[in-house]
Structures are given as structure tokens and as C-alpha cells.
Amino acid sequence: MILPSWLRHYRRADWPHDLVASATLVIFLVPQGLAYALLAGLPAQAGLYASIVPVLFYALLGTSATLSVGPAALPSLMTTAALASVAAPSAAGYAALAAAIALVSGVLRLAFGWLRFGFLANFLSQSVVGGFVSGSALLILLAQLPHLLGVESHAATAMGIVQGLWRHADAFNLTALWLSLAALALLYACKLGLKPLLVRAGLSPQVADLVAKASPMAVVALAGGVVAWFGLPVKQVGTLAPGLPPLRWPDADWSALASIWPAVLAISVVGFIDSYSIAQTLALRRRESVDANRELLALGLANTAAGLTAGFPVSASFGRSAANELAGARTQLAGILAALWMALILLLATWLFATLPLAVLACTIVIAVLQLIDLSILKLAWRYDRREALVYAGTGLGVLAFGVVDALLLGVGLSLLLFIWRTSQPHLAELGRVPGSEHYRNILRHRAETTPQILAVRVDESLYFANIGIVRAQLAAMLNGQPQARHLLLVLSAVNTIDISALQGLRELNRGLREQGVTLNLAEVKGPVMDQLKQSGFLAELAGHAFLSTHVAMTALGSAHPHDYAI
Amino acid sequence: MILPSWLRHYRRADWPHDLVASATLVIFLVPQGLAYALLAGLPAQAGLYASIVPVLFYALLGTSATLSVGPAALPSLMTTAALASVAAPSAAGYAALAAAIALVSGVLRLAFGWLRFGFLANFLSQSVVGGFVSGSALLILLAQLPHLLGVESHAATAMGIVQGLWRHADAFNLTALWLSLAALALLYACKLGLKPLLVRAGLSPQVADLVAKASPMAVVALAGGVVAWFGLPVKQVGTLAPGLPPLRWPDADWSALASIWPAVLAISVVGFIDSYSIAQTLALRRRESVDANRELLALGLANTAAGLTAGFPVSASFGRSAANELAGARTQLAGILAALWMALILLLATWLFATLPLAVLACTIVIAVLQLIDLSILKLAWRYDRREALVYAGTGLGVLAFGVVDALLLGVGLSLLLFIWRTSQPHLAELGRVPGSEHYRNILRHRAETTPQILAVRVDESLYFANIGIVRAQLAAMLNGQPQARHLLLVLSAVNTIDISALQGLRELNRGLREQGVTLNLAEVKGPVMDQLKQSGFLAELAGHAFLSTHVAMTALGSAHPHDYAI
């Protein structure tokens, strides 16, 4: 295997920075691995397993120097949702199914990367992704409630979670609740106040920020100590067998997996888009670039590895990656070293986690996903185009109402429909001449001169089946308002394509106008469109002419021999 | 009730023309009513019932003077397909279900008309409609094979029909087969050779055409006589009870109907679009106009009436309407009189139809639907844009493979995807100045002058989530090829909308370019787009400026103080 380019060009000066960053990564990976395994409905061990080999493999192929791939909120949530219909988290085959999802979604991404399908990332609009992530974050928050209240309840939809809580209302564990509230208060306080406090105590802002970011590990450790010391009656991680992750083919019910293929496909696609957009954000800061297809391959390999080492779907975590960068990571070596530390911990120190309370792990998830709820896109959408805000809200609420996969389909469907709808109601502008110039502008927006026997209309949309009927009706209405018009001039500078339905519509328009003694003329037809129109024979049928520019057309149509000016 | 306008302004001189046309209509309605009832899996009587009250009601509201609404091929086929999964044609409730479909699809169309949903017709492209009609015609042809071979077999998909024939291979009726072949030969000969023969015999071309068009009635009558005379052992229409259609609420299994709602919706939509496009074709010839929403109401009323008088879904028939016109129909009175003749026939002459062989009725369907297979759109699509040819072929083959409803959804999906795909790969043109003018054109298509420090690019598509990534990548590649460029000028004359994802993409582009010391400038921004860009704050962020025209921009960017020229 060829060494990755960052390793071939490794500079010795980067080594201490990567080492420090790797220690920081471990401080994140331990509580996140435990907590996201919990979110995925898995034993804590799976989260630690997923923090070793996948991390190593991403570093070999990934193009982002600081992206931290491993257990993450979105794929864990989507794994729970995918498995909700086929197995209970307590069932024997559940862990094998989660590993199988990682394996299949990894192989899918390898295939997508090999087929250079990275461009698919473009088909999810910002409104859909924004709504989806915010809705998922809300769903994750809701899913933590059973843990905070110390009850055993697992569901993949908002309704299911609420119903589960209602059913277990008499089993709420008050100790867990008090512990959770204390942990939440502490975590929130650290998030808000620790950094300024440390800065005032003399630390550099960067170190202070890093310590504040690492506070969840301290809170979890503190909670573990308190639970052990006082013997508090709350659900705990329990004894984990020491040892490295096993290398094994997931012994899963593959027919059950086949029945949930849309969810597996969604995990592959969303995992990639989420991870890719985090990588892009990091790259933008460092003025680097990431390659979509390489990222697909790297994520595919990481997930395949997670599936073969008793893990579950992994992806990039924004918080962890940002901390890695803040800690000074220079290259992917930070991730590789972190994986080695994790292996050491699994070999020697799993006894440390036995008394960690699940409720407090859930609290760290609550604090982490709060930052995923990004309303800035929604605010922008509300100001810029309310219909996009509807797409955002529809996708977000869809996650809560119908679950992640259906919400994603709904969002994509809504955003495509919005585009179709937008283009099916085209803007038509009657043009007039800007006095003393060769420019022609919308007479409603500019002071411009018109000629009674010529109606010049700019069509502000490509013509296709969904809008040609409306365009014809609008043109007819405009002609009715200008009965002296002998020539209709369509300015096609904004028409990028004309499909067959629109071509047939233009033919009928041309025929209909000719019978009324009005000629149909075209101006500023784009090159590719002109080629198509010529080839279809439409230009030969045209009662009027095609002109290079609006000005040439207006001059010609005002003269006795317009065909002298035609192209 | 207010009289329809054609009746209020009725001219006495039109009366003999409408009378002759009404007789012609009857000559069509009788065999078609019997045959399309057969196609819909219904007793022959339903076809005659559907030729009375629906015809009357269309005339009251319809805007087309010569359109003949009544039993038709497409709705009959779709009724068979819709009911295939819920009842066998021999089952007791089948006829009631067919009537219920007519009723519901009629009420739906009334509602659509009332909501002014006529514009929905625009959402089916010509390729989809063309492929759908051709595929349906092929399916109808296939569905006639059991009748031509004299076996009882009913299926709604091509595969089902072939399997049915295979199962009944030992029951083929040779008498029916010979009778069919003779009838087909005779019908085909009449269609091709009768008109020239009659013209040579001295008839006027118009009358000869009409007689040739009416030949199916003669062939069916002849076959009925032959079967009665020789007592041929073939399936026959049998005794029909005389009497007018009953007025009754369909006694149907409404829960079964609810389970096939997509098919009922498809019948409503397709029936409308098919009928409306026939009406438009007729109107174009007569220089009249038809109103989509009025047509929806008229068809809705006709189908509601069909459902309440033991009929089945009705629609316009192109062949019958064309014959009506050819026979000289001037107004809707021709249809009304035809309905009255049909009522008389039902009262007095049903005994005439007893010995008509089903095989020969099927032959008339074969000859009639052959003309529905219109490959001209396919040929045009192949020349104009092969991808549209794929939409046509996909929809047509989809009808054979998956049935009518799924094929329609497939076609609509394909045509929308095609539009998205087309707009997701936008054409970018580098612009240069046409020497000595203020015009700027694609340097690949025109002899034009460029300036090394300015890269002017016209974007030939609205910018939105599906293409902004590709546009940015292409712009980056173009800038790499012109390293001296200090200004990037985007000419947005063809950009009709910019969605939020594209706005964010432009922001990142602006930021990235600024770091490379290149300014981003805009020219020829459309009014509505400019409003949105201003409001979003993007114009203020822009490292360069927005200019009214490309020429102003090129002059300004070449000078020391470009901001003097900015809008």
C-alpha cells in the first residue's frame, strides 16, 4: 500500500503538536464513544471499539488533516431509527445488525467513491440539511429523556419516546434525575463560564478554551466517582471485558437488514454529506481543500472497518474535530495516535468505566447536540425566501413526526418541488429602450421607450413543459393589451433550454399569431438553444426572424425589410 | 339553470348540419360503446348506458363544439387496470365498482375545476403523455388478443395477458380466430382503400371519407348477420334488456375503491389531459379556444352522470370527435341529438345486438387504437434531445411492464429528474467583446476580444442547490487557466433565481477569491434577483461591484476607479 501523502511529507516539527492533540482527542473519544453507543442502543464497549480501527483507517485515506471520524451523534441516531422496526436493543442480534449496517454503508460509500458520486452531495440543499440536522438534534435531545429519568425505553420517533415515557411514568428514578440535573448544570456552567474564568486565572485563551471543551470528560469522571463512593442506585456502564476489538464478520440477520435498505442508504448518504460539510468548514479555515470522492472512500473504509470490528456506523464529529484543531493537530497522525491510546485504554483500563452513570453520559449528549441546532439558516431563509424556510421547517418537523429517513425524502421532495414551482411561474418583462442607448430594460423598473407596433418581452426562465402553457397565456394577455402590435419579439437571453413540450408550444404560438397577422420574432437566443431550434426546423417555420440582439431586432422590425437583419 | 351560450345563440341554419352529424355519431357510439365496455370488463349494456346521459351533460358545460365525450379507449383500459387488484370482471360487484370509479373521478374533476386546477395539465410533458398513450395503445392491442382467440382471460398488465393466453392455449376458438382475421382484413381494407374507391365512384371526398370512417359499424353489423345466419359457435353480446339507463347510486364496495385511490386519481387526471388535448387540437383547427377549467367541470359532470346511470368512466374519443366534425357538426346539439337516438335504440332495438360477436368488436378496437400509437413525438425527441426520447420510451414501456398508474408516476418522475439534471450541469460561457461594439459574446462561438486581467463568465442557468457546487468548481478551473486575472465578472443575465444554498456558495466564493486577491463582480443582475441579493446583505460583502451591463463592468474594471460605475 502506498503511504498517504501527509505521511510521506511528515515534518518532524509537527510531532509534538500531533501528540498533544491526540491526548485531547482521547479525552473526547472516551465519553463520546460511551454516550453515542448508548444513543445507538448498544453496549458501551461498541463505542470504544468504534474509536480505534475506523479512526486509523480514516487517517490513511482522508484528505482533511484535522477531521475526527469516529462515534458521532447523527449516525448513532440513524442506526437506532433504522433498527427500530427489526430488533429491540436488548435482542441478541441487535449489536450484530448495527455492525452490519456500518459494514454495508461503508461498502456502499466505497462504491460511490469509486463511481465518483461525490457530486451527489450537491442534491441536498442547505435548507434540507439545516432542517434535517436541527430536527435530528431535537430528536436526540428527546431520546435522552428516558436516560435522564432513569427508565429503560427505546424508540425512534418523537411520538414513540413520549409514549414510552408515559408508560414508564411510575418507574422514574429520582436519583438519576437529580444526578442528571446536577450534571447538566455543571456541564452548562463549564461551557459558558469556564473559559473566561481560566483566562482570568492566567491561562492563555487557547488553552482555556481547550480545557473548557474537555470538561465533559471531567464531569463524567466526577459522576463515576460519586456513584461509586455513595453507591447510588442508578444505571451504570457496568463491567467491560478488557481487550482489543475483535475482527469478525457480523453474524447478523441479513434478511432483516435487506428490509431496511432505505435507512442504510440514508446513513451512507447523510453520513457522507455531514462529514464532508464539516471537512469543508475546517478546510476553509485552514485554506486547504478536500476532495469529495476521496472523502467518500475514506469514510467508506472507516465504516467497513467499524463493521468488521464489532462497531457501529461512524462519521465526523464537529465538536471533536474542532477540539483537535484547537489542540494544535497538524496532520492525521493525531488521529492515529489517539486510536493507539484508545487501544491501550481498552487493554488496561476498562475497569475505570464500570460505575459511570448512563444518565450523565446522556447529559453530555444533550450539551453536545444543543450546538447542532443551528437556526441561522432558518433565519436567513425566512428573510430571503419564506418558501425555503418552509422546506427547512418541514424537514425538521418531519424528523420528529416521521423519523429520519422519511423526513429526508420529504425534504428532498419539497426542495425539488419548490424549484419546479419556482420555474413554472416565470417572470416576463416587457422591454423598452433606455433613451439614447442600445440597452433594453424592463419598462416597470426603468424609464424606457416602447414602440406600439412591437411588443418586446424578455422571458426570464428556461422554457419547459411545466411553464410553456402559462407563458403562452401571459403573452396572449400582453398582446391583448397592445392591439396595434404587429410583431412579438421574444428576448431569450435568459432561456437556457427549450424542451420538446415548449418547442411544440412555440410552434403553436407561431401558427396562432400568424393567423392574427402578428409575426413571432426571437432575439438573443443562446448558442446551444439556437442549435436545437435550427435542427428542429422551427427557425424555418418562424413567421418572423431570429436576431442577434434586441437592438438589432427593434431596429429591423421598425424598418421595411426586417429579414436583412436576421441571423 | 342558465342555458349554455351555444344554445342561446343557436342559428336555425345549423340545425340540418347538427342532425346529420348526430346520426354519424350514433354509427360510432354503438360499436364503440359495446367494444369499450368489453375492454373495461363490463357487460355491453354499460357501454350503451354511458353513451346517453354523459353525452347530454358534456354538451351543457363543455366549451368545445365538436368534442364527443362518451365511451373511450384510455379510461376503459384504466378502469380494467384499476379494478384488476380488487375484483374479477365476472364478480357481482364489478359493474358497481366501475360506476363508482366514474362517479368519484367525476366529483374529483368537478372539485379540480372549481379549484381552478386546470393548470395541472401543464405538469405532464409531451414526452410523458406521448409515451403513455402509445404504451396504453399497445396494452389495449394486447388485451384484445384473448377476444380475437375466443378465450376468457382478463389481466391489466402485458405479462398477465400473455400468461392468461398461455394458460388457455388449449381453448383457442378457431372460428373466432378466422372471424377475427376476416374482420381485421376487411376493416383494414376499408380504412385504407374505401375512400379513394368511393371518390372514383363519384362521391365527394368529404362524404367518401365519412363513409370510410363509418365502416366499422357496417363490418360489425355484417359479422352479426353472418354469426346469426350460420349459427357460428363464438362468444356473442347476447340479449340486452331494453330500457333507458337506470338512475341509481352505485351499490359498490367503497372500501375496495378507497384502496385503489391512486388509480382513480390517475383516471381523473389522465382523462382530463387526454380530453383537453383533443379539444385543443379541434379548437386550433376551428380557431376557437377551450377553457381548461370549464372542460374539467364538463368532464366532471359527464363522469358523475355516468356513475349515477350504471355507466363507467367516459372521456373524449379523438376518432369519434373528428368524424363528428367531418359530418358537419356545428354545435353541441349534434351530441345531444345523438344521445336521444341512443335512448331510442335502447328502448326499441337492443335485440339487434344479440348475435354481434365479441371477437369482431375487439377487432374494431384494434383498428381504432392503432392510430393512438403516435411515434412522431418520439422521432422529434430522438432528434431534438435523446433524453426526452428516453422519457417517452420509459413511460411507454412502463405501461406494459408495470401498468398504467405506475408508468404515469415513472414518467412524471423521469421528466422532473431530467429537468433537474439538465439544470444541474449549467453551461458557462467565457465572454469577449465583439470588436467595435458594446456586445459581449461566448468566445468559443464568436470572434471576440478578451482582457487578461478580467475573466468575464456568463452563467447560463439559475443558481440553486443542485448546481452551485459545480459552478464554483468550473469557475475555479477557469481562473486557474487565467492566472493574471484580478477580477472575476459573473454576467447573470440568464440567472432568474438564486436560492439560499447558491447564495451561501457565492458568499464562500467571494471570500475565497478575496483571499487570492481576486475581486468578484456581477453584471446584468435581473431586478428580482438584485432585490434579493441586496436584502440578504450580499452586495455589501462583495469584494467587487455590481454593474448594470457587461460593457460598463468591463470598462470600469479596466479603469482605476471601478466603483464610480457600480450601480
Side-chain angles (χ1 to χ4, degrees), chain B residues 291-553:
Chain B
D291 174 346
N293 293 309
R294 276 289 295 277
E295 285 299 301
L296 261 174
L297 289 176
L299 270 178
L301 204 59
N303 276 284
T304 308
L308 294 175
T309 57
F312 60 107
V314 295
S315 187
S317 149
F318 185 72
R320 204 164 59 219
S321 305
N324 188 30
E325 196 179 18
L326 196 63
R330 297 278 173 92
T331 71
Q332 283 90 327
L333 188 67
I336 291 181
L337 290 173
L340 297 180
W341 297 133
M342 289 301 292
L344 262 181
I345 287 173
L346 259 174
L347 281 172
L348 303 174
T350 51
W351 54 271
L352 274 172
F353 310 135
T355 63
L356 297 184
L358 301 188
V360 175
L361 288 176
C363 290
T364 65
I365 297 184
V366 168
I367 298 295
V369 299
L370 275 178
Q371 76 192 9
L372 289 184
I373 302 178
D374 174 9
L375 296 180
S376 67
I377 288 277
L378 181 60
K379 276 186 213 143
L380 176 65
W382 186 254
R383 276 205 326 271
Y384 190 77
D385 183 346
R386 302 243 156 128
R387 293 164 301 188
E388 290 222 39
L390 281 180
V391 173
Y392 183 107
T395 312
L397 296 176
V399 172
L400 295 178
F402 315 123
V404 283
V405 175
D406 289 350
L408 203 62
L409 291 177
L410 177 73
V412 171
L414 283 177
S415 60
L416 292 182
L417 270 185
L418 175 58
F419 181 64
I420 297 285
W421 191 79
R422 218 179 242 154
T423 54
S424 72
Q425 317 255 336
H427 177 248
L428 298 189
E430 182 175 350
L431 300 186
R433 183 178 185 175
V434 178
S437 82
E438 294 191 0
H439 296 300
Y440 290 77
R441 292 279 182 275
N442 185 347
I443 57 167
L444 299 180
R445 287 182 174 259
H446 299 264
R447 203 163 45 81
E449 299 159 345
T450 57
T451 317
Q453 69 271 33
I454 310 173
L455 174 64
V457 179
R458 195 186 64 217
V459 180
D460 282 354
E461 198 62 69
S462 287
L463 292 171
Y464 76 119
F465 62 88
N467 63 22
I468 185 66
I470 294 165
V471 168
R472 281 177 62 188
Q474 287 187 355
L475 289 174
M478 290 166 98
L479 273 172
N480 279 344
Q482 193 170 328
Q484 321 94 301
R486 304 268 49 90
H487 307 288
L488 172 63
L489 174 66
L490 292 184
V491 179
L492 301 187
S493 50
V495 171
N496 305 306
T497 57
I498 293 181
D499 81 350
I500 292 193
S501 306
L503 176 68
Q504 300 289 73
L506 288 177
R507 281 196 160 130
E508 285 168 21
L509 177 69
N510 176 51
R511 226 176 295 144
L513 289 179
R514 185 158 49 194
E515 285 172 5
Q516 297 171 36
V518 176
T519 71
L520 176 64
N521 300 273
L522 309 177
E524 304 193 22
V525 183
K526 292 245 160 65
V529 175
M530 186 62 113
D531 292 347
Q532 280 194 305
L533 290 184
K534 261 185 203 150
Q535 191 203 359
S536 70
F538 176 64
L539 284 196
E541 290 170 28
L542 208 57
H545 303 281
F547 300 97
L548 187 63
S549 75
T550 309
H551 184 63
V552 171

Side-chain angles (χ1 to χ4, degrees), chain B residues 5-24:
Chain B
S5 86
W6 65 264
L7 193 51
R8 269 180 288 140
H9 306 109
Y10 197 82
R11 294 174 304 171
R12 190 166 291 192
D14 288 341
W15 158 254
H17 298 279
D18 284 338
L19 187 67
V20 170
S22 74
T24 313

Side-chain angles (χ1 to χ4, degrees), chain A residues 375-437:
Chain A
L375 296 180
S376 69
I377 288 277
L378 181 61
K379 276 187 215 143
L380 176 65
W382 186 253
R383 277 206 325 271
Y384 189 78
D385 183 345
R386 302 241 156 131
R387 292 165 301 188
E388 289 222 38
L390 281 180
V391 173
Y392 183 108
T395 312
L397 296 176
V399 172
L400 295 178
F402 315 124
V404 281
V405 175
D406 289 350
L408 202 62
L409 291 177
L410 176 74
V412 171
L414 283 177
S415 60
L416 291 182
L417 270 184
L418 175 58
F419 181 65
I420 296 285
W421 191 79
R422 218 178 242 154
T423 54
S424 73
Q425 318 255 335
H427 177 247
L428 298 189
E430 183 177 348
L431 300 186
R433 184 178 184 174
V434 178
S437 82

Side-chain angles (χ1 to χ4, degrees), chain B residues 74 77 128 131-140 156-159 392-408 410:
Chain B
L74 218 46
L77 171 73
V128 171
F132 182 77
V133 170
S134 294
S136 300
L138 279 177
L139 187 56
I140 293 172
T157 61
M159 186 55 92
Y392 183 107
T395 312
L397 296 176
V399 172
L400 295 178
F402 315 123
V404 283
V405 175
D406 289 350
L408 203 62
L410 177 73

Side-chain angles (χ1 to χ4, degrees), chain A residues 144-204:
Chain A
Q144 301 320 306
L145 282 181
H147 297 300
L148 302 191
L149 293 163
V151 295
E152 187 85 45
S153 171
H154 222 84
T157 61
M159 186 56 91
I161 293 167
V162 171
Q163 283 174 342
L165 284 178
W166 181 256
R167 265 201 313 278
H168 293 89
D170 51 352
F172 286 170
N173 179 336
L174 278 187
T175 316
L177 180 57
W178 284 116
L179 196 63
S180 303
L181 291 177
L184 279 177
L186 200 53
L187 284 165
Y188 202 64
C190 287
K191 194 181 167 78
L192 288 188
L194 192 55
K195 187 184 163 190
L197 206 70
L198 293 173
V199 170
R200 251 179 293 155
L203 269 82
S204 81

Side-chain angles (χ1 to χ4, degrees), chain A residues 10-25 206 210 323-331 333-335 337:
Chain A
Y10 197 81
R11 293 175 306 171
R12 190 167 291 193
D14 288 340
W15 159 255
H17 298 278
D18 285 337
L19 187 68
V20 170
S22 75
T24 314
L25 273 178
Q206 198 187 341
L210 200 56
N324 188 29
E325 195 180 19
L326 196 64
R330 296 280 172 93
T331 71
L333 188 67
L337 291 174

